[in-house]
Amino acid sequence: MNYYIGIDVGGTAIKGGIINEDGQVLTNSGLATEADKGPDVVVRNIAALVDKMLSAVGIRIAETKGIGMGVPGMVNVKKGIALFAANLGFVNYPIVEKLRAYYPSTEIQLTNDANAAALGESLYGAAKDYNTGAVMVTLGTGVGGGIVIRNALFAGNRAAGAEIGHMVIRKGGEPCTCGRRGCFEAYCSATALIRDTKRAMDKHPESKLWEIGGKDFVTGQTAFDYKDSDKVAAAVVKNYLKFLSCGLANLANVFRPEVIILGGGICNQGDDLIKPLQRMLNKELFGGRLGPMVKIVVAELGNRAGFMGAASLNLESAHIL
Amino acid sequence: MNYYIGIDVGGTAIKGGIINEDGQVLTNSGLATEADKGPDVVVRNIAALVDKMLSAVGIRIAETKGIGMGVPGMVNVKKGIALFAANLGFVNYPIVEKLRAYYPSTEIQLTNDANAAALGESLYGAAKDYNTGAVMVTLGTGVGGGIVIRNALFAGNRAAGAEIGHMVIRKGGEPCTCGRRGCFEAYCSATALIRDTKRAMDKHPESKLWEIGGKDFVTGQTAFDYKDSDKVAAAVVKNYLKFLSCGLANLANVFRPEVIILGGGICNQGDDLIKPLQRMLNKELFGGRLGPMVKIVVAELGNRAGFMGAASLNLESAHIL
């Protein structure tokens, strides 16, 4: 059996696992990131987590095929540098070299966390039965993305692409954290949905949405929870789905993947989200029924997608386009 | 020497060439498409053109590595079917099988014409020195696109993707031929620029634009021709560049290519177009100066891009993602 270590570095926790060549998780675990103590401490914690998982499986690092790591923000894959991740304090940080100090003869691969998750879901999760291509869209604080083409990760020149959240879908629209206006993220992140729910409450003091106890309690679920009993909530959801289907149709027309994998808490809505979205997407696909359909599926691996995808970077079949 | 035949089927003319493994054009020629006489006549004309070029070089079909063909509209690459091309009368037309009747033992490859041109420019033209990836954007009657990743063509599932003109950049905006509203094409095709120039003339009877003799004489060049002497024309150009840079920035953020190749008549503007556009794009790139820049270049091969790219589909190194 071959062993592949995967690490998913998050703002608050580092998650990790060891998988075999079939994608079976042999062990998985987590540790606090402690980003506030600086990047060298984060790397020390990564090493501690790796060691912990090695002893859980009862193997030595030399018996593994290597470590794959997904980190937030922009990365330089070739040089192994975390270029910028605001919430982790990474600025031009040579994370691979630093981790290699702990494991001098181990293969270490780096990618962006959203890309790692997309690869994990493509190989082992929601898109494992689709082999020509998948786009993963994660609706969270922002809108993250990952693109998989024939089971290889595609992230553009120096892995700086796949920033699908930063595709303008309404020029001149809502301001985005990236500095542009009208980005997909500025309409379809959980953050945007919360903003729109609060705005609707302000405009409609009569809305049942107020039952939750005030605007401070709004989450990405609130509008969905009230959509069947409150017109205001229904309008918020309808508008959200319009923008979401618009962004997904753009990705479908440009990449024409077999499948779009949706991730993030909003997906807990299940069919209430996916069914209308699929109908709307079908109508917006270029060429209508002449071309192949693009199926929307919900991410399956949850927290595991990141470390599983990262681990797979050391598979012999692994390939970054 | 190896010989590769390339065919570019257009609405009015079929262009073709024979190239060698270094991309040298050994002969090139053209014939009327005669689309009005039906698809079988188009195929007969393709064969006539192939025969003409073979005798120009003085070789037999068996001495070539095969024929590559680019046709407009949607195609099924694997099955060799032209799914739909309104101006050619192709509906589910098995064009490869039909051409094989003329050349039974010849390798025949099919792709979409915009993809063929992108591949031609990437391998032999404006992007030949950039190897990680290129996106070609052709500003014509519509906005066509082609995506090349590490010298391989990427066109999505069943080659139905790369429809970059049909990415909405202003939700709810101008109607597009595809049925959606606010597509990149609805703002940045030559057709859209002509529409906007005419609208500006209607609003501004005092504009110098009227010197051309009336709205019937407006082309994609008109606003550019008057931009230095007429405020109305300058505003049309400024607005056009805003939308164009928005669409290019979307493609840059999603694909992060090393280079964007611009094609179409509007590129005759040269630096008047490219310089401001590059400045605007640089400002909109995700991650600003942290990531790699995306260079805008003008297509170099003109009419030859299509058949050169098509011909290269039979190169041993050819690869469709």
Side-chain angles (χ1 to χ4, degrees):
Chain A
M1 181 158 36
N2 289 317
Y3 303 97
Y4 303 86
I5 303 172
I7 296 291
D8 180 15
V9 182
T12 54
I14 303 165
K15 285 146 280 175
I18 299 181
I19 67 172
N20 66 13
E21 62 275 18
D22 300 322
Q24 259 188 297
V25 177
L26 307 172
T27 186
N28 66 302
S29 190
L31 271 182
T33 310
E34 300 188 298
D36 53 312
K37 295 186 182 162
D40 288 350
V41 173
V42 175
V43 170
R44 197 195 60 198
N45 290 336
I46 292 172
L49 180 59
V50 169
D51 290 344
K52 190 179 160 192
M53 297 191 299
L54 287 171
S55 34
V57 179
I59 54 170
R60 284 167 301 112
I61 186 75
E63 293 173 72
T64 73
K65 290 281 178 183
I67 302 170
M69 221 175 352
V71 305
M74 237 183 206
V75 299
N76 184 321
V77 167
K78 260 195 188 156
K79 296 188 179 162
I81 294 172
L83 291 171
F84 185 71
N87 60 341
L88 282 169
F90 290 164
V91 181
N92 254 312
Y93 183 69
I95 190 165
V96 167
E97 187 190 310
K98 294 281 186 173
L99 187 63
R100 194 162 282 136
Y102 293 86
Y103 310 106
S105 3
T106 301
E107 190 65 40
I108 303 178
Q109 300 287 339
L110 179 67
T111 190
N112 161 290
D113 57 351
N115 290 335
L119 193 56
E121 290 286 351
S122 280
L123 296 177
Y124 310 116
K128 67 173 184 293
D129 297 328
Y130 303 87
N131 294 315
T132 71
V135 173
M136 180 158 176
V137 179
T138 304
L139 308 165
T141 311
V143 172
I147 297 152
V148 178
I149 300 173
R150 300 198 184 280
N151 292 324
L153 205 50
F154 169 69
N157 191 18
R158 294 205 228 148
E163 290 293 350
I164 62 166
H166 302 288
M167 158 181 79
V168 166
I169 60 174
R170 182 159 173 90
K171 187 162 168 43
E174 298 286 345
C176 183
T177 53
C178 76
R180 300 175 84 194
R181 279 181 169 273
C183 284
F184 188 24
E185 172 164 314
Y187 288 95
C188 296
S189 61
T191 316
L193 179 54
I194 291 168
R195 174 201 66 211
D196 289 346
T197 307
K198 288 180 177 175
R199 277 189 195 160
M201 290 168 75
D202 278 336
K203 267 199 199 163
H204 297 279
E206 81 286 6
S207 164
K208 282 195 187 170
L209 284 166
W210 286 101
E211 289 178 4
I212 58 167
K215 288 194 292 178
D216 290 352
F217 300 96
V218 172
T219 70
Q221 314 288 332
T222 311
F224 280 96
D225 290 344
Y226 281 84
K227 75 174 173 29
D228 295 327
S229 62
D230 182 69
K231 275 186 197 172
V232 176
V236 170
V237 168
K238 193 176 166 191
N239 185 63
Y240 180 76
L241 292 181
K242 267 193 202 169
F243 278 94
L244 185 52
S245 65
C246 175
L248 297 186
N250 280 1
L251 295 170
N253 286 348
V254 169
F255 288 101
R256 201 65 170 218
E258 256 186 296
V259 64
I260 292 176
I261 309 162
L262 276 192
I266 291 166
C267 296
N268 295 337
Q269 299 303 327
D271 279 354
D272 269 10
L273 176 75
I274 303 303
K275 281 196 171 171
L277 211 49
Q278 182 76 61
R279 270 198 304 273
M280 293 163 92
L281 174 64
N282 292 351
K283 278 189 199 155
E284 296 201 63
L285 280 182
F286 185 75
R289 303 231 150 243
L290 283 171
M293 289 291 103
V294 177
K295 195 171 160 63
I296 303 174
V297 297
V298 172
E300 286 176 0
L301 301 177
N303 269 335
R304 296 181 165 210
F307 75 70
M308 291 183 78
S312 76
L313 292 170
N314 281 307
L315 284 173
E316 266 187 56
S317 60
H319 182 47
I320 296 187
L321 281 170
Chain B
M1 181 156 41
N2 289 318
Y3 302 97
Y4 303 86
I5 303 172
I7 296 290
D8 180 14
V9 182
T12 54
I14 303 165
K15 287 145 278 175
I18 300 180
I19 68 172
N20 66 13
E21 61 276 18
D22 300 322
Q24 258 187 300
V25 177
L26 306 172
T27 186
N28 66 302
S29 189
L31 270 183
T33 309
E34 299 188 297
D36 52 313
K37 297 188 182 161
D40 287 351
V41 173
V42 174
V43 170
R44 195 195 62 198
N45 290 335
I46 292 173
L49 179 60
V50 169
D51 290 345
K52 188 178 162 195
M53 297 192 299
L54 287 171
S55 35
V57 179
I59 54 172
R60 284 167 300 114
I61 186 74
E63 294 174 70
T64 73
K65 290 282 178 182
I67 302 171
M69 222 177 347
V71 306
M74 237 184 206
V75 298
N76 184 322
V77 167
K78 261 194 188 158
K79 296 189 181 163
I81 294 172
L83 291 171
F84 185 72
N87 60 341
L88 282 169
F90 290 164
V91 181
N92 256 313
Y93 183 69
I95 189 165
V96 167
E97 188 191 310
K98 294 282 185 173
L99 188 62
R100 194 162 283 137
Y102 293 86
Y103 309 106
S105 4
T106 300
E107 190 65 41
I108 303 178
Q109 300 286 339
L110 179 67
T111 190
N112 161 290
D113 57 350
N115 290 334
L119 193 56
E121 290 287 351
S122 280
L123 296 176
Y124 309 117
K128 68 174 184 292
D129 298 328
Y130 302 86
N131 294 315
T132 71
V135 174
M136 180 158 176
V137 180
T138 304
L139 308 165
T141 312
V143 171
I147 297 153
V148 178
I149 300 173
R150 301 199 184 280
N151 293 324
L153 205 49
F154 169 69
N157 190 18
R158 293 205 229 148
E163 290 293 350
I164 62 167
H166 302 288
M167 158 180 79
V168 166
I169 59 174
R170 183 161 173 89
K171 187 162 169 43
E174 298 285 347
C176 183
T177 53
C178 76
R180 300 175 84 195
R181 280 182 168 272
C183 284
F184 188 23
E185 173 165 312
Y187 288 94
C188 297
S189 61
T191 316
L193 179 54
I194 290 168
R195 174 201 67 211
D196 289 346
T197 307
K198 288 179 177 175
R199 277 189 195 160
M201 289 168 75
D202 278 336
K203 267 200 198 162
H204 297 278
E206 80 286 4
S207 164
K208 283 196 186 169
L209 284 166
W210 286 101
E211 289 178 4
I212 58 168
K215 288 194 291 178
D216 290 350
F217 300 97
V218 171
T219 70
Q221 314 288 330
T222 311
F224 280 97
D225 289 345
Y226 281 84
K227 75 174 173 28
D228 295 328
S229 61
D230 181 68
K231 274 185 196 172
V232 176
V236 170
V237 168
K238 194 177 166 189
N239 185 62
Y240 180 76
L241 292 181
K242 267 193 202 170
F243 278 93
L244 185 52
S245 65
C246 176
L248 297 186
N250 280 1
L251 295 170
N253 286 348
V254 169
F255 288 101
R256 202 65 170 217
E258 256 185 297
V259 65
I260 292 175
I261 309 162
L262 276 192
I266 291 166
C267 297
N268 295 338
Q269 299 302 328
D271 280 354
D272 268 11
L273 176 76
I274 302 302
K275 282 197 171 171
L277 209 50
Q278 182 77 63
R279 269 196 305 273
M280 293 162 92
L281 174 63
N282 292 351
K283 278 188 199 155
E284 295 199 64
L285 279 182
F286 184 75
R289 303 232 150 244
L290 284 171
M293 288 292 103
V294 177
K295 196 172 159 63
I296 304 173
V297 297
V298 172
E300 284 177 2
L301 301 177
N303 269 337
R304 296 182 165 211
F307 74 70
M308 291 184 78
S312 76
L313 292 171
N314 281 308
L315 283 172
E316 266 188 55
S317 60
H319 184 46
I320 296 188
L321 280 170

